[in-house]
Amino acid sequence: EADIYQTPRYLVIGTGKKITLECSQTMGHDKMYWYQQDPGMELHLIHYSYGVNSTEKGDLSSESTVSRIRTEHFPLTLESARPSHTSQYLCASSNRGGQGEKLFFGSGTQLSVL
Amino acid sequence: SQQGEEDPQALSIQEGENATMNCSYKTSINNLQWYRQNSGRGLVHLILIRSNEREKHSGRLRVTLDTSKKSSSLLITASRAADTASYFCATSRGDSWGKLQFGAGTQVVVTP
């Protein structure tokens, strides 16, 4: 069982609200990632971090922002949520570098914007 | 664009049967990984195969990799109801260290 936690598990909010999705891991992993997944579709990388104070945008453009002030914490923020942001958001972490890198995933946050 | 593409999209089998699913990708890779996702949950890593390996086993799982055809297969032998899940392949490229690209997955249903 992976020690990576996401809260909330489900979130239903109205358009225009500011939201923060929390992600924490207790494994001391340097690298953390946010993926976005729509039902029956592939995962898209939207943000990643290779360590404290390091954040980069992923392959899929996203209006969300992230921060990495502590190794264990990688929150994702939407300043003004819209219905197009409705999706599942998965946080992941990894440690080993080079070619043998596997990801540990949280259980995800299912976001619905009305 | 999608790097990995699984086939079939969905698979329904009975307990005890084998399940085979395939993954094709477009560019050269360092390694290819398979993950399982139970409904509404996060993904769980199953197995990793490096670009210089052709076959790998882990319990009831067997993975093959053919880099000349840019394809991989995952075989689950003697399937159980608990194997019901979506299975994703993910590739790691040399120019995107640590970042995986996922396919859309194969949805497997195992009926008792």
Side-chain angles (χ1 to χ4, degrees):
Chain A
E1 193 76 21
D3 295 319
I4 179 164
Y5 310 99
Q6 289 186 246
T7 58
R9 184 78 181 85
Y10 302 94
L11 181 60
V12 182
I13 59 165
T15 297
K17 299 291 185 185
K18 178 180 178 179
I19 61 163
T20 297
L21 307 185
E22 300 288 349
C23 177
S24 295
Q25 51 95 5
T26 58
M27 297 173 283
H29 286 174
D30 291 327
K31 303 173 192 64
M32 297 189 74
Y33 313 83
W34 278 102
Y35 284 87
Q36 185 175 339
Q37 183 187 28
D38 292 321
M41 303 295 287
E42 67 265 37
L43 282 73
H44 291 286
L45 180 67
I46 52 174
H47 298 284
Y48 62 98
S49 167
Y50 285 165
V52 171
N53 295 325
S54 152
T55 61
E56 300 286 345
K57 289 192 178 295
D59 302 324
L60 180 69
S61 176
S62 173
E63 293 167 345
S64 58
T65 59
V66 292
S67 63
R68 190 88 184 276
I69 299 173
R70 301 196 316 268
T71 298
E72 62 271 22
H73 195 214
F74 192 41
L76 180 146
T77 299
L78 274 167
E79 290 293 332
S80 180
R82 294 205 302 270
S84 60
H85 296 140
T86 294
S87 188
Q88 173 156 251
Y89 293 84
L90 293 165
C91 181
S93 70
S94 67
N95 198 23
R96 266 189 58 197
Q99 296 190 19
E101 196 149 348
K102 69 178 187 181
L103 300 186
F104 294 84
F105 281 86
S107 294
T109 293
Q110 181 61 52
L111 174 65
S112 295
V113 184
L114 307 178
Chain B
S1 64
Q2 197 171 311
Q3 163 74 331
E5 200 166 314
E6 287 90 342
D7 172 59
Q9 288 185 318
L11 182 60
S12 182
I13 56 175
Q14 291 193 312
E15 269 190 327
E17 293 181 339
N18 295 341
T20 300
M21 59 212 85
N22 304 295
C23 169
S24 59
Y25 56 91
K26 297 174 184 173
T27 61
S28 62
I29 60 172
N30 288 332
N31 66 64
L32 185 144
Q33 305 179 35
W34 286 90
Y35 288 79
R36 183 187 75 230
Q37 183 181 35
N38 290 93
S39 181
R41 309 295 291 182
L43 281 73
V44 175
H45 180 267
L46 294 176
I47 195 165
L48 179 152
I49 186 165
R50 303 183 194 283
S51 58
N52 61 353
E53 297 175 314
R54 292 295 167 259
E55 188 171 312
K56 204 159 182 181
H57 297 254
S58 176
R60 293 184 295 114
L61 304 179
R62 173 179 168 253
V63 169
T64 63
L65 179 65
D66 187 335
T67 52
S68 66
K69 295 181 180 177
K70 291 187 170 59
S71 68
S72 172
S73 69
L74 171 67
L75 168 68
I76 305 173
T77 60
S79 62
R80 306 166 182 168
D83 295 328
T84 294
S86 292
Y87 292 82
F88 293 84
C89 69
T91 53
S92 173
R93 304 201 315 252
D95 62 345
S96 58
W97 182 65
K99 297 184 294 179
L100 298 184
Q101 292 196 304
F102 288 82
T106 293
Q107 192 170 16
V108 175
V109 175
V110 182
T111 53

